[in-house]
Amino acid sequence: MGKSTKYEAKVPDENGIIPYSDEEHSVWRDLYARQIDIIDGRVCQEFSDGLEILNLPTDRIPQPKEVSEVLYERTGWQVAPVPALINFDRFFKLLAEKKFPAASFIRSREEMDYLQEPDIFHEIFGHTTMLTHQAFADFTHAYGLAGVKASKKERVFLARLYWFTVEFGLINTRDGVRIYGGGIASSPGETVYSLESDEPMRRPFDPIDALRTPYRIDIYQSVYYILERMDDLFGLAGEDLLGLIRKARALGEFEPTYPPKEKEAA
């Protein structure tokens, strides 16, 4: 992945427990309290159900072991603590083994509103919540298996599929469009923006279209894809994802719908 980060990984002890300071626990407490209020009425029922199933602590950072126990019983998944940034080989290998890589650090108070790299709040609150749902869990597993086999160029396209589903996916419900992507559900600003702003485009989810859509990681998204039903991910899990990539590459990329990134001054 090639990026650097100012955060240091937290290393589990011999019992698999990650040591966190009182301040780090208080950051989790404040992030949780704020986000649980913001997502009310904006996330899909499957996300709300996942939070209830996990029963995450509100006043401290949950340990990967305790989240893993619930996930494993529910869908066969576990949480694997990792540094802030890992390479694609390790990322896909972990997903293929039904182990969700979760960065072990938590953001500082100076970056409460936005953090470019994923921290444990993003990973646990945003992502493991949906891994309690079998369709979502099966898709994530199939995605990891495809990534292990994919070439470097194919992985660029796979990253887009992950981005527009697992990270920034929306879904139609009886109550209207709701959030299931962890990148949205763990962000106070994008939770509101993704559903209520007139700026972004919201398109029906089509895997080929998602694979052809470029994105930027450092801005609110200019395009969101709306899944019709969560069970549609069951179907996608059974697809030949590398075959879909070949079709998308043959069709070519869509034009970016976002402004070019400004170059940093030397």
Side-chain angles (χ1 to χ4, degrees):
M1 300 204 179
K3 280 184 56 186
S4 61
T5 176
K6 69 178 184 180
Y7 290 99
E8 291 185 11
K10 295 279 186 176
V11 180
D13 64 19
E14 64 274 10
N15 298 314
I17 302 299
I18 300 174
Y20 291 107
S21 67
D22 290 343
E23 169 59 16
E24 287 168 326
H25 285 306
S26 73
V27 168
W28 170 277
R29 180 196 65 215
D30 293 347
L31 285 169
Y32 189 99
R34 178 176 68 175
Q35 198 61 17
I36 202 72
D37 183 55
I38 292 171
I39 66 170
D40 185 36
R42 294 187 172 102
V43 293
C44 64
Q45 188 60 49
E46 292 87 346
F47 193 97
S48 296
D49 291 345
L51 280 176
E52 185 175 342
I53 291 164
L54 288 180
N55 192 25
L56 299 172
T58 62
D59 60 344
R60 63 171 176 84
I61 301 170
Q63 290 293 330
K65 285 182 66 175
E66 60 188 317
V67 179
S68 292
E69 288 174 2
V70 179
L71 282 182
Y72 191 79
E73 183 178 348
R74 193 82 183 182
T75 59
W77 276 76
Q78 300 176 69
V79 176
V82 298
L85 301 167
I86 59 174
N87 61 41
F88 280 123
D89 285 341
R90 188 176 180 195
F91 175 73
F92 286 118
K93 184 175 184 294
L94 286 169
L95 294 184
E97 296 171 349
K98 296 186 179 180
K99 296 176 182 176
F100 191 80
S104 55
F105 74 94
I106 195 161
R107 71 194 71 181
S108 67
R109 287 199 175 274
E110 290 72 34
E111 295 188 293
M112 290 283 279
D113 291 340
Y114 175 76
L115 186 69
Q116 190 160 306
E117 61 260 57
D119 71 343
I120 197 164
F121 182 77
H122 168 89
E123 309 281 36
I124 299 298
F125 185 94
H127 286 310
T128 63
T129 305
M130 284 303 302
L131 284 171
T132 61
H133 190 278
Q134 196 66 58
F136 188 91
D138 287 351
F139 166 68
T140 308
H141 183 223
Y143 178 87
L145 292 171
V148 168
K149 300 175 184 177
S151 68
K152 187 175 180 180
K153 287 185 178 179
E154 287 170 333
R155 286 176 174 181
V156 172
F157 285 82
L158 273 180
R160 292 175 179 169
L161 186 61
Y162 192 88
W163 192 260
F164 290 113
T165 54
V166 176
E167 291 288 359
F168 290 93
L170 300 176
I171 186 169
N172 271 322
T173 75
R174 290 175 297 179
D175 300 315
V177 177
R178 294 292 184 266
I179 295 160
Y180 74 92
I184 308 176
S186 60
S187 165
E190 196 138 10
T191 294
V192 177
Y193 174 87
S194 66
L195 296 180
E196 298 170 27
S197 173
D198 293 330
E199 292 183 28
M201 289 178 278
R202 299 175 184 88
R203 299 171 176 168
F205 177 75
D206 178 277
I208 298 291
D209 286 352
L211 288 164
R212 298 174 66 195
T213 305
Y215 62 86
R216 275 179 58 178
I217 67 171
D218 59 334
I219 59 173
Y220 288 164
Q221 295 308 294
S222 55
V223 177
Y224 298 97
Y225 282 99
I226 304 173
L227 196 67
E228 193 58 37
R229 299 175 306 154
M230 194 62 66
D231 281 349
D232 289 347
L233 289 179
F234 270 124
L236 190 55
E239 290 267 6
D240 175 8
L241 296 183
L242 298 185
L244 293 178
I245 288 173
R246 289 191 290 272
K247 292 179 182 178
R249 291 179 70 179
L251 290 168
E253 296 183 355
F254 290 133
E255 287 293 321
T257 55
Y258 49 79
K261 190 173 182 178
E262 295 181 7
K263 293 183 178 179
E264 296 181 4

